[in-house]
Amino acid sequence: MNHVTIVICNYNYEPYLAAAIDSALAQDYPKTDVIVIDDGSTDGSRAIIEKYGARVSPIFKENGGQVSAYNHAIEMLETEYAIFLDSDDILYPNAVSEVMQLFVDGDWAKVQFRLDVMDGTGALTGAYVPNTETRPDCGKLLLRGWLYPSPPASGNAYRVSALKQIFPVPAAGINRYGADFYAIYGAALTGPVASVSKSLGAYRVHNAASSSVSFANSEHITKAPRAFSMRWTILRTIAKSRLQVELPPTFHDFGHEKARFCSSVYRATLLTRWRWMMRDSSGYLHAIVANPFWSLQKKLGALVLSSLCLVPYSPLSDFVVRYIANPLARRRVAGR
């Protein structure tokens, strides 16, 4: 039986850390090891980790950011498979067993699975991510610049040998965070990706309000496009130097374009909304119309919804932006 390591990267998440560790230790797959990397927390995280004794392997390091923590973990990993669990998320008890069934049956570089969305208190919201499954050959689409639908960090299990072809990643300056970007998309350049079409864990959204335009935790909606562009440039350099793979200068991703769309038209005047749609929406519309992962029905639905942002009634326009940006807004409407 293959060994699997669950790596929990933590920085100042004392209120959630124990739940993450407990979920890792509760896996029904017997050959599961747990490593907890604390990235220089200044809260009570260290005391929580130490309470688990020999049940986990603790690593306490100076604060260097998420990329630094991933670099450190991947360098020292001895098992062939690993899951990187964010310290505010949890895994369900069968998560490792489910992904290992796929790894054993195929030569996958990565196995991804859905995550239920929970709010800051741990209550499930009824939403899940991602809403679209990827294709096994998503690496070929990456060569054309298409980022494939993936769950956040905690919803991915990797073949460690694939990660070691991508990491270490530069960890200085503004690239301290976003390590999961390099793991998610870098792994797909080394081999096929499998998807589990059911939830095997839960992803905590701290601003879990259906009335908000923001959904992701990691970056403000106006900063996300710039961060993604920088990471793509770094991934291109890594792919060329280590894998001899040439990625295009630009990429296509609805999540990235959605952030641009929302930051440009949300609560904007009618003139601003029309101006953006007429002059600056080409990337956004291309990410819908040419999206290789979406059905025709989904593409048409996104186009119709987006067009409603041009109506003179601003409350409707703002509602549509929230509906497009935030899965919780969609769940609320569906539940009415």
Side-chain angles (χ1 to χ4, degrees), residues 49-294:
I49 297 168
E50 290 175 339
K51 287 180 180 178
Y52 287 90
R55 299 175 67 196
V56 304
S57 298
I59 298 173
F60 300 100
K61 61 184 287 294
E62 293 184 1
N63 180 252
Q66 187 194 38
V67 172
S68 171
Y70 268 56
N71 285 342
H72 190 86
I74 292 167
E75 180 182 12
M76 64 172 292
L77 278 173
E78 297 180 352
T79 58
E80 179 56 14
Y81 305 96
I83 295 175
F84 280 76
L85 175 64
D86 284 346
S87 57
D88 57 340
D89 297 340
I90 62 169
L91 295 174
Y92 298 158
N94 62 331
V96 174
S97 295
E98 291 278 351
V99 299
M100 286 309 299
Q101 286 182 15
L102 286 169
F103 274 126
V104 169
D105 293 337
D107 190 26
W108 306 106
K110 190 191 92 165
V111 174
Q112 65 180 48
F113 47 90
R114 286 188 342 201
L115 295 172
D116 292 326
V117 177
M118 58 183 175
D119 64 18
T121 69
L124 295 178
T125 64
Y128 60 82
V129 287
N131 290 286
T132 304
E133 288 193 13
T134 190
R135 292 164 34 176
D137 64 345
C138 56
K140 294 180 180 178
L141 291 167
L142 270 174
L143 298 180
R144 291 163 42 196
W146 281 99
L147 301 188
Y148 65 92
S150 173
S154 302
N156 301 278
Y158 300 96
R159 191 179 295 270
V160 173
S161 56
L163 291 178
K164 290 192 174 186
Q165 295 181 64
I166 305 299
F167 287 81
V169 169
I174 60 174
N175 200 45
R176 287 167 53 91
Y177 306 103
D180 52 328
F181 179 94
Y182 302 104
I184 288 168
Y185 301 113
L189 294 173
T190 71
V193 172
S195 295
V196 179
S197 57
K198 60 181 176 181
S199 297
L200 299 180
Y203 167 61
R204 192 183 305 270
V205 176
H206 300 280
N207 182 26
S210 61
S211 59
S212 170
V213 72
S214 179
F215 179 69
N217 293 321
S218 55
E219 276 139 349
H220 191 275
I221 197 164
T222 58
K223 297 180 180 179
R226 294 194 298 272
F228 265 50
S229 297
M230 175 199 68
R231 290 168 193 153
W232 179 255
T233 299
I234 293 173
L235 182 61
R236 286 188 70 219
T237 302
I238 291 172
K240 185 173 183 178
S241 61
R242 300 179 193 171
L243 304 177
Q244 290 72 56
V245 170
E246 190 77 41
L247 293 173
T250 59
F251 64 90
H252 312 290
D253 175 58
F254 180 71
H256 171 263
E257 295 296 340
K258 180 175 66 176
R260 291 184 184 275
F261 165 73
C262 294
S263 62
S264 300
V265 306
Y266 187 59
R267 292 180 176 170
T269 64
L270 179 62
L271 178 61
T272 299
R273 285 180 269 142
W274 271 91
R275 183 184 295 122
W276 188 87
M277 291 295 286
M278 294 298 103
R279 300 195 314 193
D280 303 314
S281 63
S282 59
Y284 175 74
L285 296 176
H286 179 76
I288 295 174
V289 174
N291 196 310
F293 305 102
W294 285 14

